[in-house]
Amino acid sequence: MADLPGPEFTRTGVGNHYLRRRVKFIDCDRGVQVRFQCSKPADFRVEMDGVVHALHSFNPTTALPSPVVITAQDETTKERWQTEVRLTPPKGRSAQLPGASAPDGPLEIVFPRRHADSGSALSRVKRDWVIPPINVPENARGPFPQLLVTIRSDHDKHRSLRYSVTGPGADQPPTGIFFINPVSGELSVSQPLDREHIPNFHLRAHAVDLNGNQVENPIDIVINVIDMNDNRPEFVHQMWNGTVPEGSKPGTSVMTVTAIDKDDPKTQNGQLRYKILSQTPENPNPSMFTINNKTGNIITMAAGLDREKVPQYTLIIQATDMEGTQLYGLSNTATAVIRVTDINDNPPEFTSDMFYGEVPENRVNVIVANLTVTDKDQPNTPAWNAVYKITGGDPTGRFSVPTDPMTNEGLVTVVKPIDYEISRTFVLTVVAANEVPLDQNIHRSRQSTATVSIKVIDVNESPYFDPNPKNIRLEEGMVTDSMLTTFTAQDPDRFMQQSIRYSKLYDPAGWLRIDPGNGRVTTMAVLDRESPYVSNNMYNATFLATDNGSPPASGTGTLQIFLLDINDNAPYVFPSEAEVCEKPEPNGINITAVDPDLSPNAGPFAFDLPDRQPDVTRNWTITRLSGDVAQLSLRIGFLESGVYEIPIVITDSGNLPMFNTSYLRVKVCQCDHNGDCTDRQHIVAAGLGTGAIIAILLCIIVLLILVLLFVVWMKRRDKERQAKQLLIDPEDDVRDNILKYDEEGGGEEDQDYDLSQLQQPDTMEPEAIKPVGIRRLDERPLHPEPQYPVRSAAPHPGDIGDFIHEGLKAADNDPTAPPYDSLLVFDYEGSGSTAGSLSSINSSSSGGDQDYDYLNDWGPRFRKLADMYGGNDE
C-alpha cells in the first residue's frame, strides 16, 4: 500500500530563497513507477524523484498560496494517490528553517530530525529539506576567509558535536577553497572564486559526536558562483571575409560574424550586441551595410553596389556585452572585409565599328582579321570572356570567329575555300556577347556589333581535267599512231588569259602520247590486254596540264582505258612435261589447254595429233575429256624407255580460230607396282634439272675449298710457333735445371757458406750432410736423397717439359719434402741484414742511385739484368 505524507509538511521559505521539499513515496516494495503531478504548475514543479521546486520566491508577510495538491499515479495500473503540502509563515526561531536567513546573522542550516510514526514499530526519517544553493559572487575582494553559512544540529543542546564538509573544493581537488569550523559549524571560503573555471561546488556536511559516531545524516550543500562581468567579448576571427554580388538589393545577407563571451550567457554579462563602427570607403553611401545586433548577420542596407567603382568594403564590427550597454558593458572589435563580386552588367564593346581583312582564294584555316573588344567586368571570368557570332554576310558558312583565350580577341578565320571567280568580297556582321547572359536589368550596347569587310585575292589556280578520271573502251591490238581520245583540262582563272600545255606523267607500258597543245591522245605501240600492266582489263595513264601563269600551276588527270579482248593468242598445252610406264596401263596423261584470251576467244578447245608424223599417231592416241582437258595414252603394248617429244595441235573457239602445235615432253620409264618410275632419270623428271644439279655441285666444291684452306692455315700457324721457340738466344734463355737446395744459407753477416749448395744435386758430396748432433729440431729427418733428374749441358728446347714432369714426380716421392702448401723451414740466416728490408726495392725508377755493375761478374745469365739496371744509360 502506498504511503504518502500528510498535512504535517507545513514548512515554508522566506526572504529571497527558493525553497524545495522532497516528497517520499512508500510503495511497500512493489517496485512500481510513479509519476507526480502538481495542482499549481505555475508556482511549483515536481521532479521524477519527488523534489518539489518553487518556481519563484514568496514573501512571508503576504498571503501564501493555498495548499498544493500532489498526485502520484502508478504508470502500470493507473492507480492514483494524493496528498497536500501547506506553506505557513515560520514560527519560533527562523534559524531552524532550512534555507532561511536569520534576522541579524548569517544563514543557518539545521539537520532534519528523526521521529517514529505512531502505531508503527519502524522508525523512519522525517522528510528531508532540500537545502537551497548558496550564491557566492566570483572575484570577491574579501576579506578572507569569508563566512558563508552556519551548519548545526539540534543534538548540540545535549552533547558536543564536530562538523565537517567533504567534496571538491574542500577535501578533494581543488582543495582548501572551503573549510568549516568543526565546533561552531561555520562554513567559509578562503579565496576568490572564478565562475569561468568552476561554476559551482557540491559539498556534503557531516555531524558526529566526540567519539566519531554519526549523529545526523549528511546533507548536501550546493554553492553557486555568481557571475560577474569580468570577461570581454572575443571574436572567433579577427578578420572576417565575405562576398556580395554587385547590384544586390537591400536586405541581401552577406555573412555572419560571431563573438564569444566567457561570462554566464544567462545573464546580461554574457549577452552580446553587435554594431558597425565604420565603413571604408563611404561611397556611394556611408551606410551600405547594417548588422543584426543579436545574431551578427551583416546585410546590405542600400542599393548601388558596383564592383567596377568600389570592389571592396572594410567594416569595423564591435561586440558589447551587458546587452550592448555602453556605460557598463565591455566591448571588442573585429574587421570584416566584404568583396563585391562581379556580375555580367557590362556588355563587350568593339573598339571600332568596321574591321578589314583580305585572304587569298582557296586558302583555309587562315586568320583574316582580329576583332578587339573592351569589357569592364572582371577579366578572365565568364562575364568578361567574349563569344563572337556571325549574324550576316556568310550564308554558306565559309567563316568562323573563335575567341583568343589570351587576348579575348575575335579571330575571323576561313574554314571553307573561297573562289575569287565566284565571290570577290565579303561583308560580315559580327555580334559580341559573353559566356554568361547579361544581367536582366542591362541592355545590349550598340557597340556590341561590328562590320568586317573581307577582300578575296585572286591567285593562279591549277588547271583541272573534267571528267577525272576519264574512261574509254577500246579493242586491244590497235596499231601505232591510232587516235584514242582528246583529254583536255580547264583553267579556273577565267579572268586571266592563260594557255595550257599537256604532258605525260605516268604511262607504265609506254603505249600512249599526248599532243602538248590540244591534248589529243594517240598510241605509240600496240595495246595488249594480256600485258602485265593491265589489271582487270583496265590500263591507267596519268597526264599533266600546266598553265603559263606566274607562278605556273599544274593539275593531273587520269585516263582509264578498258581494253576489249580479241582472239590474238593461240592456246598451248599445260603441263609441258609428263611421264608414262613402258607397258600400257590404264594411266593416261591428262593435259590442259591454256589460252590467255577470254571467252569466246578461248575454249572449248580441239585436241589432235599431227597426221604428218605416223610414228606419233602409231604409238599415241589423244582423247578429249572436256572443253579444255584431254588425255594422252599409249596405243601400243610396249614402248621402249626414253624421252619423247609429242606434238599436239590445239585449236580455240574464236570467230577466227587460232591453233598452235605444242610439244609435250613425255618420259617413258620402267615402273614399280605403284606405277612410279624406278630409274635414276626419275630425279630429273621430278624437277631437278641440269641447272639445279650444277648449282649443287658448285656449292659442294666451294665448301671443300674452304675446309682445305682452314686446315692449311692451322698447319702454318703451328710451324710459326715452333720456329719462334727455336730462335731464342741461349744467352737470353734464363731457363735452367730444377735445383734442389738443402738450405738458403745466412745473410750478409754469414760469410761462411758452401758454394757447393748452388751446384746440381748429383755433385753434392755425402760429407756435406750435417751431423745429427748439430741439426735443428724442425729440419727434415735424415733419409736417403731421392734421385732427381739432371739436364744435359746443352739440352734441346723440346725436352724442357719432360724434364719438368720428371722433376715433379721425383719431388712428389721425396719423403723429406714438406707437405704441399706448407711453410718451408730454412737454416738460420743470422741476426740481421745490412741490406735492410726488400720492401725498400720498389722499382727500377727508385733505385737509380745504386750500382748494379757487379751483376756483370755473376756470369752470362745475369748480363741482361746488368744491361737493364747498370750504369749505362744507353
Side-chain angles (χ1 to χ4, degrees):
M1 166 107 207
D3 182 14
L4 285 176
E8 72 268 15
F9 291 94
T10 56
R11 300 294 185 183
T12 183
V14 294
N16 293 325
H17 296 280
Y18 296 90
L19 301 185
R20 293 181 293 178
R21 289 294 304 271
R22 175 168 296 164
V23 180
K24 291 187 177 180
F25 177 78
I26 308 301
D27 59 359
C28 300
D29 297 330
R30 294 192 302 176
V32 298
Q33 295 186 0
V34 179
R35 182 168 59 90
F36 297 99
Q37 293 180 351
C38 176
S39 62
K40 296 182 180 296
D43 298 329
F44 302 95
R45 183 180 73 252
V46 185
E47 300 291 346
M48 294 297 295
D49 57 356
V51 177
V52 181
H53 293 268
L55 299 181
H56 55 86
S57 60
F58 300 95
N59 191 348
T61 60
T62 61
L64 295 175
S66 58
V68 180
V69 179
I70 305 299
T71 303
Q73 181 177 353
D74 189 342
E75 294 289 343
T76 304
T77 62
K78 304 302 180 181
E79 188 176 358
R80 298 166 63 92
W81 300 270
Q82 289 184 348
T83 187
E84 290 184 354
V85 177
R86 292 185 177 87
L87 299 179
T88 60
K91 298 178 180 180
R93 292 184 304 169
S94 61
Q96 296 179 353
L97 299 177
S101 298
D104 54 357
L107 180 66
E108 186 177 273
I109 300 176
V110 182
F111 284 94
R113 292 172 295 176
R114 298 173 181 266
H115 71 94
D117 290 341
S118 57
S120 174
L122 296 178
S123 174
R124 59 190 178 119
V125 180
K126 187 177 181 181
R127 277 62 178 177
D128 295 339
W129 287 104
V130 177
I131 306 301
I134 300 173
N135 298 325
V136 180
E138 65 173 335
N139 302 325
R141 296 184 178 181
F144 294 101
Q146 181 179 359
L147 179 63
L148 299 181
V149 68
T150 300
I151 301 174
R152 74 176 190 82
S153 172
D154 290 341
H155 295 282
D156 62 355
K157 300 177 182 178
H158 311 290
R159 50 181 170 173
S160 297
L161 302 180
R162 295 295 182 264
Y163 303 96
S164 64
V165 290
T166 59
D171 60 342
Q172 299 178 15
T175 61
I177 298 178
F178 301 97
F179 64 90
I180 190 171
N181 188 316
V183 178
S184 63
E186 294 178 349
L187 178 64
S188 304
V189 59
S190 63
Q191 62 188 33
L193 303 180
D194 187 0
R195 190 203 67 84
E196 287 73 33
H197 183 215
I198 301 177
N200 51 63
F201 296 87
H202 293 267
L203 305 179
R204 174 162 288 191
H206 307 270
V208 297
D209 58 14
L210 297 179
N211 295 325
N213 298 321
Q214 178 177 317
V215 297
E216 297 283 1
N217 288 333
I219 58 174
D220 294 329
I221 301 174
V222 177
I223 300 175
N224 288 332
V225 182
I226 304 302
D227 183 45
M228 305 295 290
N229 191 16
D230 58 343
N231 291 280
R232 290 182 178 273
E234 296 290 340
F235 281 92
V236 177
H237 306 288
Q238 278 300 116
M239 181 70 68
W240 297 81
N241 295 286
T243 59
V244 60
E246 62 176 332
S248 296
K249 297 180 179 179
T252 303
S253 176
V254 180
M255 61 179 174
T256 300
V257 297
T258 304
I260 298 175
D261 196 322
K262 296 180 181 180
D263 292 327
D264 190 357
K266 298 180 180 179
T267 65
Q268 292 184 347
N269 300 332
Q271 295 179 0
L272 308 181
R273 296 295 182 264
Y274 299 94
K275 179 182 179 182
I276 297 178
L277 296 182
S278 65
Q279 169 191 308
T280 306
E282 296 184 352
N283 56 322
N285 192 315
S287 300
M288 294 296 296
F289 302 93
T290 186
I291 188 171
N292 188 310
N293 63 346
K294 292 183 178 181
T295 63
N297 183 29
I298 300 176
I299 59 177
T300 59
M301 185 176 180
L305 290 173
D306 190 348
R307 188 201 65 85
E308 288 74 30
K309 296 180 180 179
V310 181
Q312 179 176 293
Y313 290 91
T314 301
L315 306 180
I316 303 300
I317 310 299
Q318 183 186 58
T320 306
D321 57 15
M322 298 298 291
E323 294 184 339
T325 303
Q326 297 294 331
L327 184 60
Y328 307 106
L330 302 177
S331 302
N332 213 335
T333 60
T335 302
V337 178
I338 301 175
R339 184 171 57 89
V340 182
T341 58
D342 187 36
I343 64 172
N344 194 12
D345 58 344
N346 294 281
E349 296 179 351
F350 285 99
T351 58
S352 176
D353 294 336
M354 180 69 71
F355 295 88
Y356 299 91
E358 59 182 23
V359 60
E361 63 174 333
N362 299 322
R363 297 282 299 275
V364 295
N365 297 326
V366 177
I367 297 176
V368 178
N370 289 26
L371 310 182
T372 57
V373 296
T374 59
D375 196 322
K376 297 179 181 179
D377 292 321
Q378 186 174 358
N380 301 316
T381 61
W384 179 83
N385 297 334
V387 178
Y388 301 90
K389 181 179 180 182
I390 300 175
T391 59
D394 186 23
T396 57
R398 299 185 181 274
F399 299 91
S400 68
V401 188
T403 304
D404 187 338
M406 301 301 296
T407 62
N408 209 32
E409 295 180 351
L411 309 178
V412 181
T413 307
V414 181
V415 295
K416 293 182 180 179
I418 302 175
D419 191 354
Y420 174 82
E421 285 69 28
I422 297 177
S423 300
R424 299 185 182 183
T425 59
F426 288 87
V427 178
L428 308 179
T429 301
V430 181
V431 176
N434 294 119
E435 292 180 355
V436 294
L438 281 172
D439 188 74
Q440 59 183 357
N441 298 323
I442 306 299
H443 300 284
R444 186 182 302 276
S445 173
R446 182 185 63 83
Q447 296 179 347
S448 298
T449 303
T451 303
V452 183
S453 177
I454 301 174
K455 179 182 177 181
V456 182
I457 302 175
D458 189 16
V459 297
N460 187 20
E461 301 177 73
S462 301
Y464 64 93
F465 289 88
D466 189 22
N468 189 15
K470 183 176 182 180
N471 297 297
I472 60 174
R473 297 171 65 91
L474 299 173
E475 285 188 352
E476 64 173 332
M478 294 188 67
V479 298
T480 305
D481 295 331
S482 298
M483 196 288 187
L484 300 184
T485 185
T486 300
F487 196 26
T488 59
Q490 305 294 327
D491 191 349
D493 298 315
R494 299 193 304 270
F495 302 101
M496 298 182 182
Q497 301 299 324
Q498 299 179 152
S499 60
I500 299 177
R501 302 286 292 178
Y502 301 95
S503 60
K504 185 172 60 173
L505 184 63
Y506 177 73
D507 182 16
W511 291 342
L512 308 176
R513 72 164 61 94
I514 187 169
D515 188 281
N518 55 25
R520 293 181 61 184
V521 181
T522 57
T523 61
M524 297 173 57
V526 178
L527 305 182
D528 186 8
R529 190 197 64 83
E530 290 75 28
S531 171
Y533 300 106
V534 178
S535 177
N536 296 327
N537 302 329
M538 189 72 70
Y539 181 75
N540 294 323
T542 304
F543 298 95
L544 184 68
T546 307
D547 61 20
N548 60 348
S550 178
S554 60
T556 60
T558 301
L559 180 63
Q560 294 182 339
I561 304 175
F562 188 85
L563 296 176
L564 303 175
D565 185 42
I566 63 174
N567 194 10
D568 58 346
N569 293 279
Y572 58 90
V573 67
F574 181 84
S576 60
E577 296 181 354
E579 62 181 24
V580 69
C581 296
E582 294 176 330
K583 297 180 180 181
E585 297 290 342
N587 58 348
I589 303 172
N590 292 335
I591 58 175
T592 303
V594 178
D595 192 337
D597 293 328
L598 300 177
S599 181
N601 297 321
F605 301 97
F607 301 88
D608 296 301
L609 297 176
D611 297 335
R612 297 179 182 181
Q613 298 182 12
D615 55 344
V616 174
T617 57
R618 182 177 59 252
N619 297 333
W620 303 91
T621 180
I622 189 169
T623 304
R624 178 180 171 184
L625 300 180
S626 64
D628 55 355
V629 178
Q631 187 178 68
L632 180 67
S633 58
L634 283 173
R635 184 188 293 272
I636 59 178
F638 174 80
L639 184 63
E640 186 179 357
S641 298
V643 178
Y644 299 86
E645 298 284 343
I646 308 300
I648 300 175
V649 180
I650 305 176
T651 306
D652 61 20
S653 300
N655 190 12
L656 295 176
M658 294 190 68
F659 67 92
N660 180 32
T661 300
S662 299
Y663 288 88
L664 178 63
R665 191 167 180 266
V666 179
K667 177 179 177 284
V668 180
C669 60
Q670 296 178 359
C671 298
D672 55 13
H673 64 281
N674 294 324
D676 298 327
C677 289
T678 57
D679 54 357
R680 296 181 179 178
Q681 295 182 358
H682 175 69
I683 298 177
V684 178
L688 291 178
T690 304
I693 295 176
I694 293 174
I696 294 175
L697 292 177
L698 289 176
C699 292
I700 295 174
I701 293 171
V702 171
L703 183 60
L704 292 176
I705 292 173
L706 293 176
V707 173
L708 181 60
L709 292 175
F710 179 75
V711 172
V712 171
W713 177 75
M714 292 293 294
K715 291 289 186 181
R716 181 167 183 152
R717 192 179 66 169
D718 293 341
K719 290 181 179 180
E720 291 177 353
R721 185 181 302 168
Q722 295 176 2
K724 288 182 179 179
Q725 295 177 355
L726 293 176
L727 292 175
I728 298 177
D729 189 358
E731 294 183 358
D732 296 335
D733 187 6
V734 297
R735 298 173 294 177
D736 204 343
N737 297 331
I738 298 179
L739 301 180
K740 177 178 181 300
Y741 297 96
D742 187 22
E743 59 184 11
E744 288 187 351
E748 287 78 3
E749 294 181 357
D750 185 8
Q751 300 298 327
D752 187 13
Y753 53 84
D754 188 4
L755 293 177
S756 64
Q757 298 293 331
L758 300 178
Q759 304 300 323
Q760 295 183 357
D762 57 345
T763 62
M764 297 177 60
E765 297 295 332
E767 291 79 11
I769 303 176
K770 298 179 181 180
V772 179
I774 62 174
R775 184 173 296 278
R776 289 165 48 183
L777 295 178
D778 58 347
E779 291 182 357
R780 63 187 177 186
L782 295 178
H783 290 283
E785 294 293 337
Q787 298 298 323
Y788 284 88
V790 180
R791 282 182 67 193
S792 60
H796 188 275
D799 68 346
I800 295 177
D802 297 335
F803 175 77
I804 293 175
H805 286 293
E806 291 177 4
L808 179 62
K809 183 176 179 181
D812 292 338
N813 297 325
D814 186 1
T816 64
Y820 300 116
D821 299 331
S822 66
L823 179 66
L824 299 180
V825 180
F826 300 96
D827 284 351
Y828 181 71
E829 291 185 346
S831 61
S833 175
T834 59
S837 175
L838 292 177
S839 62
S840 63
I841 303 177
N842 294 328
S843 64
S844 61
S845 61
S846 64
D849 56 346
Q850 298 187 26
D851 186 9
Y852 294 96
D853 293 336
Y854 62 88
L855 295 175
N856 293 318
D857 300 332
W858 288 16
R861 301 186 186 279
F862 292 90
R863 192 168 298 164
K864 279 288 184 181
L865 292 175
D867 295 338
M868 295 173 59
Y869 294 93
N872 189 5
D873 296 337
E874 298 177 357

